[in-house]
Amino acid sequence: MFAGTLARGATASEVSGAAWLAAMLDAEAGLAAAHAALGLVPADAAAAIAAACRPERFDAHALGERAGLSGNPVVPLVKALRELVPAEHRGHVHLGATSQDILDTAAMLVAGRALVPLAADLDAAADACAALAVRHRDTVLPGRTLLQQAVPTTFGLKAAGWLTALTAARDRLRALRRPVQYGGAAGTLSALGDRGHEVVAAFASELGLDEPLIPWHTDRTPVAGLACALGIAAGVLAKIATDVKLLAQTEVGEAAEPSAPGRGGSSAMPHKRNPVGAISVLACAQRVPGLVGAVLAGMAQEHERAAGAWQAEQETLSDLLRLTGSAASWAREILEGLSVDEARMRANLAATGGLPMAESVVARLGGGPRARALVDAACARAVAEGRPLGEVLAADEDVRLTPAEIDAALDPAGYLGSAGAFVDRALARRNTREDR
């Protein structure tokens, strides 16, 4: 019912029940292959196990129902897998592993697969921000602090801010380590004698995961790191969506999301064009901090294996990936189709009669307390009398500026500081990234 908003894009399918089943089976097949590579099980046993590890041969719904008896789906999965393997090879299924080994490994596989479309949407959103920054490098609009007009800025700088934040979030996700898990009952792999540690490297290689230094059953930093990186990405997307929804307000009207028949409509008001993309990003991101908190809360685990904490992670991670992926998909669409109203930006900047340029006038007067006091008084008169600031300044004998100097001081395009340089720096950094 709510998938159109909260499960948009390709990431959602990568965290489905079917995706988890496939990842668990990949883990079981990879483990058997690792054992075979080291001569610990016959090659034909590993081949038989791999042949049985086909998702279509399993009933995911039934496995989920039976998972309640053991607290996780691996126990019924292994039972069903053994029944599909020839009798002489059944003893090699799940060799030396515990349920958490398979679920943790599956979690890393699921995350890696889900991050592919998620990262693609983040990259595309960043590319759209870069294009906006180029196009609007010198497009002036009111800077706003505490929801009030401040000094002028450029839309290019705003877009460059989005770009750098998205890039940082993407880099954090790219830098994550996704280690395989294999420690057996209590992290010693004692069921394999003194060769268990050799299997870890082979297991990681089979699945394209990182090799951990030691088993990490109760060291949840890989999961917590993933959760935090997703939380940061969702936060960045929420910031962009917040800007877009505010820029799209009727009274502001400086930007608008892409339009389509029926998009942004209201069930009551025919005239509405709601910023549904921004709304959807924020709906997804609203839930993410609580999910990140749930993962972090689960880091306090007992001894060598926890009771309840890691079992809470799988669905939480799925939700985190799905929601962040959905937000990224929405943001990509918003940014690729965002329309910018430069005339409205200029009009909004002029709406207060030059008040956002008060700081510029202080600078023109040489700065210091006296200059500040003069401009404070002029601003107060302008507001009280409903007059433009330039007119008030020109009539004030204590303000020793010529009409041309007043005009220059009140020109927003002349008071942008390093905005252009900052945009250029953000774009240069984007263009020189080695991974592009």
Side-chain angles (χ1 to χ4, degrees):
M1 187 65 70
F2 305 103
T5 298
L6 303 176
R8 177 188 173 90
T11 302
S13 63
E14 299 293 351
V15 296
S16 65
W20 275 93
L21 172 60
M24 287 188 288
L25 290 171
D26 287 344
E28 292 287 359
L31 183 60
H35 284 128
L38 295 172
L40 296 175
V41 305
D44 56 346
I49 292 170
C53 286
R54 295 202 301 271
E56 65 272 16
R57 303 186 70 180
F58 296 81
D59 184 338
H61 181 72
L63 290 173
E65 287 187 334
R66 293 199 293 272
L69 297 175
S70 55
N72 72 77
V74 177
V75 174
L77 176 72
V78 171
K79 182 177 184 296
L81 176 58
R82 285 183 173 139
E83 291 172 356
L84 294 173
V85 172
E88 66 270 23
H89 298 314
R90 289 174 183 171
H92 302 304
V93 172
H94 198 65
L95 182 62
T98 190
S99 296
Q100 188 176 352
D101 291 332
I102 300 304
L103 271 177
D104 280 350
T105 298
M108 295 297 101
L109 290 173
V110 166
R113 293 163 183 173
L115 286 174
V116 172
L118 195 161
D121 283 335
L122 289 177
D123 281 335
D127 286 340
C129 288
L132 288 168
V134 170
R135 190 178 313 130
H136 297 285
R137 179 185 185 277
D138 302 312
T139 299
V140 182
L141 81 163
R144 295 177 172 94
T145 62
L146 308 182
L147 293 179
Q148 305 294 306
Q149 286 196 12
V151 297
T153 184
T154 66
F155 190 75
L157 184 57
K158 186 182 289 288
W162 298 343
L163 166 63
T164 55
L166 281 170
T167 301
R170 176 67 180 90
D171 287 348
R172 188 178 294 269
L173 288 169
R174 178 177 283 109
L176 290 171
R177 294 187 75 253
R178 293 182 297 108
V180 77
Q181 178 74 281
Y182 190 48
T188 64
L189 287 174
S190 50
L192 298 177
D194 62 357
R195 298 198 64 190
H197 64 284
E198 299 176 34
V199 180
V200 178
F203 190 21
S205 178
E206 287 288 340
L207 297 178
L209 296 175
D210 295 310
E211 178 189 358
L213 188 63
I214 63 174
W216 47 279
H217 288 148
T218 53
D219 168 15
R220 306 313 291 170
T221 50
V223 179
L226 171 61
C228 289
L230 290 168
I232 289 171
V236 168
L237 295 166
K239 186 276 183 289
I240 296 171
T242 298
D243 281 352
V244 170
K245 75 172 182 180
L246 292 174
L247 292 170
Q249 282 184 276
T250 302
E251 293 80 5
V252 178
E254 293 175 0
E257 293 187 5
S259 61
R263 181 187 171 105
S266 164
S267 62
M269 295 167 283
H271 71 283
K272 291 295 291 295
R273 182 180 170 186
N274 295 314
V276 292
I279 291 167
S280 298
V281 171
L282 292 166
C284 293
Q286 184 78 20
R287 291 182 55 195
V288 168
L291 295 168
V292 175
V295 173
L296 296 179
M299 292 185 74
Q301 301 203 358
E302 314 91 334
H303 301 304
E304 281 63 56
R305 296 279 303 289
W310 68 266
Q311 292 90 342
E313 288 175 350
Q314 292 83 41
E315 192 169 63
T316 305
L317 279 180
S318 292
D319 287 345
L320 274 169
L321 288 160
R322 175 176 51 80
L323 291 166
T324 307
S326 183
S329 178
W330 278 112
R332 174 180 184 170
E333 182 193 66
I334 294 169
L335 292 165
E336 289 181 338
L338 192 71
S339 59
V340 176
D341 191 334
E342 299 181 32
R344 188 62 176 265
M345 290 174 175
R346 290 193 297 270
N348 286 340
L349 192 53
T352 57
L355 290 177
M357 301 306 299
E359 184 184 77
S360 172
V361 178
V362 172
R364 284 272 178 170
L365 289 170
R370 184 176 182 279
R372 173 61 188 264
L374 284 172
V375 178
D376 280 352
C379 289
R381 288 197 302 277
V383 172
E385 298 169 11
R387 299 164 61 197
L389 179 59
E391 182 180 310
V392 173
L393 292 169
D396 190 333
E397 295 180 356
D398 293 326
V399 177
R400 304 196 176 184
L401 296 174
T402 66
E405 289 173 330
I406 291 174
D407 288 343
L410 295 178
D411 179 12
Y415 199 67
L416 296 172
S418 296
F422 289 144
V423 172
D424 295 342
R425 290 175 65 177
L427 291 171
R429 176 70 181 90
R430 179 72 178 170
N431 292 333
T432 57
R433 286 167 57 85
E434 294 181 358
D435 52 19
R436 289 189 53 71

PDB file of all heavy atoms in Angstrom, residues 229-244:
ATOM      1  N   ALA A 229      26.240   5.146   8.270  1.00  0.00           N
ATOM      2  CA  ALA A 229      26.458   5.708   6.939  1.00  0.00           C
ATOM      3  C   ALA A 229      25.130   5.912   6.211  1.00  0.00           C
ATOM      4  O   ALA A 229      24.937   6.918   5.507  1.00  0.00           O
ATOM      5  CB  ALA A 229      27.375   4.794   6.133  1.00  0.00           C
ATOM      6  N   LEU A 230      24.206   4.987   6.374  1.00  0.00           N
ATOM      7  CA  LEU A 230      22.886   5.152   5.778  1.00  0.00           C
ATOM      8  C   LEU A 230      22.144   6.307   6.439  1.00  0.00           C
ATOM      9  O   LEU A 230      21.440   7.079   5.765  1.00  0.00           O
ATOM     10  CB  LEU A 230      22.079   3.861   5.911  1.00  0.00           C
ATOM     11  CG  LEU A 230      22.560   2.691   5.045  1.00  0.00           C
ATOM     12  CD1 LEU A 230      21.887   1.399   5.471  1.00  0.00           C
ATOM     13  CD2 LEU A 230      22.301   2.969   3.558  1.00  0.00           C
ATOM     14  N   GLY A 231      22.292   6.426   7.754  1.00  0.00           N
ATOM     15  CA  GLY A 231      21.660   7.537   8.456  1.00  0.00           C
ATOM     16  C   GLY A 231      22.162   8.881   7.963  1.00  0.00           C
ATOM     17  O   GLY A 231      21.393   9.833   7.789  1.00  0.00           O
ATOM     18  N   ILE A 232      23.463   8.979   7.727  1.00  0.00           N
ATOM     19  CA  ILE A 232      24.035  10.223   7.213  1.00  0.00           C
ATOM     20  C   ILE A 232      23.514  10.510   5.810  1.00  0.00           C
ATOM     21  O   ILE A 232      23.132  11.645   5.484  1.00  0.00           O
ATOM     22  CB  ILE A 232      25.567  10.147   7.234  1.00  0.00           C
ATOM     23  CG1 ILE A 232      26.068  10.208   8.686  1.00  0.00           C
ATOM     24  CG2 ILE A 232      26.192  11.267   6.414  1.00  0.00           C
ATOM     25  CD1 ILE A 232      27.540   9.918   8.845  1.00  0.00           C
ATOM     26  N   ALA A 233      23.484   9.491   4.974  1.00  0.00           N
ATOM     27  CA  ALA A 233      22.966   9.683   3.611  1.00  0.00           C
ATOM     28  C   ALA A 233      21.518  10.152   3.642  1.00  0.00           C
ATOM     29  O   ALA A 233      21.129  11.075   2.906  1.00  0.00           O
ATOM     30  CB  ALA A 233      23.096   8.386   2.813  1.00  0.00           C
ATOM     31  N   ALA A 234      20.712   9.523   4.486  1.00  0.00           N
ATOM     32  CA  ALA A 234      19.307   9.919   4.586  1.00  0.00           C
ATOM     33  C   ALA A 234      19.187  11.346   5.099  1.00  0.00           C
ATOM     34  O   ALA A 234      18.318  12.115   4.646  1.00  0.00           O
ATOM     35  CB  ALA A 234      18.556   8.957   5.505  1.00  0.00           C
ATOM     36  N   GLY A 235      20.055  11.727   6.037  1.00  0.00           N
ATOM     37  CA  GLY A 235      20.032  13.092   6.548  1.00  0.00           C
ATOM     38  C   GLY A 235      20.376  14.115   5.481  1.00  0.00           C
ATOM     39  O   GLY A 235      19.764  15.189   5.408  1.00  0.00           O
ATOM     40  N   VAL A 236      21.353  13.803   4.651  1.00  0.00           N
ATOM     41  CA  VAL A 236      21.720  14.697   3.548  1.00  0.00           C
ATOM     42  C   VAL A 236      20.541  14.849   2.582  1.00  0.00           C
ATOM     43  O   VAL A 236      20.204  15.960   2.144  1.00  0.00           O
ATOM     44  CB  VAL A 236      22.959  14.171   2.810  1.00  0.00           C
ATOM     45  CG1 VAL A 236      23.188  14.915   1.504  1.00  0.00           C
ATOM     46  CG2 VAL A 236      24.195  14.284   3.701  1.00  0.00           C
ATOM     47  N   LEU A 237      19.916  13.742   2.250  1.00  0.00           N
ATOM     48  CA  LEU A 237      18.769  13.787   1.343  1.00  0.00           C
ATOM     49  C   LEU A 237      17.618  14.582   1.954  1.00  0.00           C
ATOM     50  O   LEU A 237      16.918  15.326   1.248  1.00  0.00           O
ATOM     51  CB  LEU A 237      18.316  12.367   1.012  1.00  0.00           C
ATOM     52  CG  LEU A 237      19.337  11.533   0.225  1.00  0.00           C
ATOM     53  CD1 LEU A 237      18.948  10.057   0.245  1.00  0.00           C
ATOM     54  CD2 LEU A 237      19.455  12.024  -1.214  1.00  0.00           C
ATOM     55  N   ALA A 238      17.441  14.448   3.266  1.00  0.00           N
ATOM     56  CA  ALA A 238      16.372  15.190   3.944  1.00  0.00           C
ATOM     57  C   ALA A 238      16.648  16.684   3.930  1.00  0.00           C
ATOM     58  O   ALA A 238      15.727  17.500   3.805  1.00  0.00           O
ATOM     59  CB  ALA A 238      16.226  14.695   5.380  1.00  0.00           C
ATOM     60  N   LYS A 239      17.930  17.067   4.072  1.00  0.00           N
ATOM     61  CA  LYS A 239      18.267  18.495   4.015  1.00  0.00           C
ATOM     62  C   LYS A 239      17.913  19.076   2.638  1.00  0.00           C
ATOM     63  O   LYS A 239      17.325  20.158   2.525  1.00  0.00           O
ATOM     64  CB  LYS A 239      19.755  18.687   4.298  1.00  0.00           C
ATOM     65  CG  LYS A 239      20.202  20.169   4.398  1.00  0.00           C
ATOM     66  CD  LYS A 239      20.499  20.790   3.061  1.00  0.00           C
ATOM     67  CE  LYS A 239      21.015  22.219   3.186  1.00  0.00           C
ATOM     68  NZ  LYS A 239      19.987  23.190   3.599  1.00  0.00           N
ATOM     69  N   ILE A 240      18.271  18.346   1.569  1.00  0.00           N
ATOM     70  CA  ILE A 240      17.964  18.815   0.219  1.00  0.00           C
ATOM     71  C   ILE A 240      16.457  18.928   0.035  1.00  0.00           C
ATOM     72  O   ILE A 240      15.942  19.922  -0.497  1.00  0.00           O
ATOM     73  CB  ILE A 240      18.578  17.869  -0.824  1.00  0.00           C
ATOM     74  CG1 ILE A 240      20.109  17.890  -0.721  1.00  0.00           C
ATOM     75  CG2 ILE A 240      18.117  18.237  -2.226  1.00  0.00           C
ATOM     76  CD1 ILE A 240      20.798  16.836  -1.560  1.00  0.00           C
ATOM     77  N   ALA A 241      15.722  17.907   0.482  1.00  0.00           N
ATOM     78  CA  ALA A 241      14.266  17.919   0.347  1.00  0.00           C
ATOM     79  C   ALA A 241      13.647  19.069   1.134  1.00  0.00           C
ATOM     80  O   ALA A 241      12.663  19.680   0.693  1.00  0.00           O
ATOM     81  CB  ALA A 241      13.688  16.588   0.816  1.00  0.00           C
ATOM     82  N   THR A 242      14.207  19.374   2.278  1.00  0.00           N
ATOM     83  CA  THR A 242      13.701  20.490   3.074  1.00  0.00           C
ATOM     84  C   THR A 242      13.878  21.802   2.329  1.00  0.00           C
ATOM     85  O   THR A 242      12.967  22.641   2.284  1.00  0.00           O
ATOM     86  CB  THR A 242      14.419  20.547   4.432  1.00  0.00           C
ATOM     87  OG1 THR A 242      14.142  19.344   5.162  1.00  0.00           O
ATOM     88  CG2 THR A 242      13.957  21.738   5.254  1.00  0.00           C
ATOM     89  N   ASP A 243      15.050  21.995   1.730  1.00  0.00           N
ATOM     90  CA  ASP A 243      15.265  23.203   0.933  1.00  0.00           C
ATOM     91  C   ASP A 243      14.266  23.275  -0.216  1.00  0.00           C
ATOM     92  O   ASP A 243      13.681  24.341  -0.483  1.00  0.00           O
ATOM     93  CB  ASP A 243      16.687  23.220   0.368  1.00  0.00           C
ATOM     94  CG  ASP A 243      17.720  23.647   1.392  1.00  0.00           C
ATOM     95  OD1 ASP A 243      17.333  24.075   2.503  1.00  0.00           O
ATOM     96  OD2 ASP A 243      18.926  23.558   1.080  1.00  0.00           O
ATOM     97  N   VAL A 244      14.076  22.159  -0.909  1.00  0.00           N
ATOM     98  CA  VAL A 244      13.179  22.163  -2.066  1.00  0.00           C
ATOM     99  C   VAL A 244      11.752  22.487  -1.648  1.00  0.00           C
ATOM    100  O   VAL A 244      11.059  23.289  -2.302  1.00  0.00           O
ATOM    101  CB  VAL A 244      13.249  20.818  -2.812  1.00  0.00           C
ATOM    102  CG1 VAL A 244      12.145  20.716  -3.867  1.00  0.00           C
ATOM    103  CG2 VAL A 244      14.612  20.639  -3.470  1.00  0.00           C
TER     104      VAL A 244
END
